């Protein structure tokens, strides 16, 4: 039986990988921690779920569990802390499991925004001017306003910690209110008209699979949130593709990734924002588009010839919970919401034959509101 372990939070990222692999005949073992959504356990492609209160405890449980397989089992990380935890436990895991890794740098090093900025510049990307405020609140004299403040390491903060500061006073107030991390990156604020994400897979041969570019047409919450409506199209050969290939190659990275960029309307250029060295939440869009990257990643890890994928479905896709939330918050009208649904090719978690996770994301908040279902974390 073909088997893989999907490691991360009990959320859409994990379910997307499980469904992508399930479509190709793989069964999954869920290795989850954090907030309990019951998304993973409700997928019909999941054989069992191992849970713990944190990523490290998950790995401890996994190592002490006899899964009954002689071959090494591939693990796919679906969040930053899961990917870093795999690397930190390489010596304990390497005899029984296969997982993403970087040959030239540690993932810990690559997770830091300051290192990403340096490597992105070397790879040929346009990068907004940046300042590293590592463990300090001292503001450099040459900071330009408005500027953007973000955690230096993604897993040390949340989306809400990414803030726009219009003046030095504004910046000082925001720096003093950040409780989750002392290490932040200041970045020149770019007046953008839209954001893009390029999802791909670094292979053990040193090559990259980069099948599509995702244009994030609308976000929830506005400006700093995740995509509601996205347009997926093929990524043509050109400067962006070559820079991504150079960046992934210079890291020696083997695994799923996404590169986030924004389009600056002032000079009509794309600027590099960050690279996520793990599965991206929008990966399920790419599978629906016609490129099953988790499958190719598992095949590459296990030494199986890669499945060639040639039938693609460009067009609009919807992240349904964000899209619905934007309607409820009146960011879009009911008619716009309905029009966008009609023109889309599909929803993120809508998967023929595996619809329970799709409905869970809408039912759970209602059950919690009625106090039928508890708000709880895995223990």
């Amino acid at each position: 039986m073909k088997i893989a372990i999907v490691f991360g939070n009990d959320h859409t990222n994990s379910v997307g990988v499980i469904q992508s692999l399930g479509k190709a005949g793989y069964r999954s073992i869920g290795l989850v921690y954090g907030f309990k959504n019951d998304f993973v356990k409700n997928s019909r492609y999941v054989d069992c779920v191992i849970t713990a209160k944190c990523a490290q405890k998950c790995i401890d449980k996994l190592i002490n569990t006899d899964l009954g397989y002689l071959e090494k089992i591939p693990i796919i990380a679906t969040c930053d802390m899961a990917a870093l935890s795999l690397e930190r436990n390489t010596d304990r895991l390497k005899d029984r499991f296969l997982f993403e890794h970087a040959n030239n740098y540690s993932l810990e090093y690559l997770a830091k925004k300051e290192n990403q900025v340096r490597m992105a510049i070397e790879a040929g990307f346009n990068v907004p001017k940046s300042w590293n405020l590592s463990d300090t609140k001292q503001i450099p004299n040459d900071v330009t306003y408005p500027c953007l403040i973000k955690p230096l390491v993604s897993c040390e903060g949340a989306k809400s910690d990414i803030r726009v500061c219009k003046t030095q006073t504004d910046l000082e107030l925001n720096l003093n209110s950040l409780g989750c991390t002392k290490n932040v990156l200041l970045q020149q604020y770019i007046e953008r008209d839209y954001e893009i994400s390029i999802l791909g897979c670094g292979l053990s041969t040193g090559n990259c699979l980069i099948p599509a570019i995702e244009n994030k047409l609308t976000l929830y919450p506005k400006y700093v949130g995740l995509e509601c409506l996205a347009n997926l199209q093929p990524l043509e050969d050109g400067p962006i593709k070559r820079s991504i290939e150079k960046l992934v190659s210079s890291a020696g990275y083997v695994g799923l990734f996404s590169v986030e960029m924004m389009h600056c309307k002032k000079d009509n250029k794309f600027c590099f924002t960050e690279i996520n060295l793990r599965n991206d939440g929008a990966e399920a869009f790419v599978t629906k588009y016609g490129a099953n990257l988790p499958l190719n990643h598992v095949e590459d890890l296990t030494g199986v010839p890669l499945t060639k994928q040639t039938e693609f479905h460009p067009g609009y896709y919807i992240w349904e919970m964000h899209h619905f939330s934007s309607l409820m918050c009146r960011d879009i009208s009911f008619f716009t919401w309905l029009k966008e649904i009609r023109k889309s090719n599909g929803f993120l978690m809508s998967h023929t034959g595996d619809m329970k996770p799709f409905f869970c994301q809408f039912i759970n908040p209602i059950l919690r509101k009625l106090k039928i279902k508890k708000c709880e974390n895995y223990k």
Side-chain angles (χ1 to χ4, degrees), residues 237-338:
D237 286 327
I240 290 179
K241 188 173 184 179
R242 288 193 292 272
S243 290
I244 293 173
E245 290 171 340
K246 188 173 180 180
L247 177 59
V248 174
S249 176
S250 67
Y253 178 69
V254 177
L256 299 171
F257 67 84
S258 65
V259 174
E260 296 183 17
M261 303 182 72
M262 51 191 172
H263 184 260
C264 178
K265 56 185 177 183
K266 180 186 284 188
D267 56 12
N268 195 30
K269 290 181 179 179
F270 285 101
C271 288
F272 174 91
T273 306
E274 66 177 333
I275 181 169
N276 300 301
L277 297 172
R278 41 82 181 161
N279 175 76
D280 188 280
E283 177 280 322
F285 287 151
V286 181
T287 296
K288 288 174 170 60
Y289 166 84
N292 193 332
L293 292 174
L295 171 63
N296 287 152
H297 176 39
V298 167
E299 290 171 334
D300 183 55
L301 287 176
T302 55
V304 175
L306 302 190
T307 300
K308 293 188 185 296
Q309 300 172 86
T310 56
E311 186 178 339
F312 302 113
H313 309 281
Y316 298 99
Y317 293 86
I318 286 176
W319 196 319
E320 58 275 9
M321 195 61 195
H322 300 157
H323 195 238
F324 183 70
S325 297
S326 68
L327 171 67
M328 291 295 97
C329 293
R330 298 183 181 180
D331 287 346
I332 58 173
S333 69
F334 174 77
F335 294 106
T336 299
W337 178 77
L338 196 59

Side-chain angles (χ1 to χ4, degrees), residues 43-90:
S43 173
R44 73 180 182 92
Y45 298 118
V46 172
D47 279 352
C48 68
V49 181
I50 299 170
T51 66
K53 66 178 182 179
C54 66
Q56 183 57 51
K57 294 293 184 184
C58 278
I59 288 178
D60 294 341
K61 275 193 177 183
L62 178 64
I63 289 170
N64 293 322
T65 301
D66 182 6
L67 299 174
Y69 294 92
L70 297 176
E71 301 85 4
K72 289 185 179 181
I73 303 174
I75 305 176
I76 295 183
T78 60
C79 63
D80 295 316
M81 185 52 71
L84 292 174
S85 297
L86 287 172
E87 180 180 70
R88 291 167 186 168
N89 290 271
T90 296

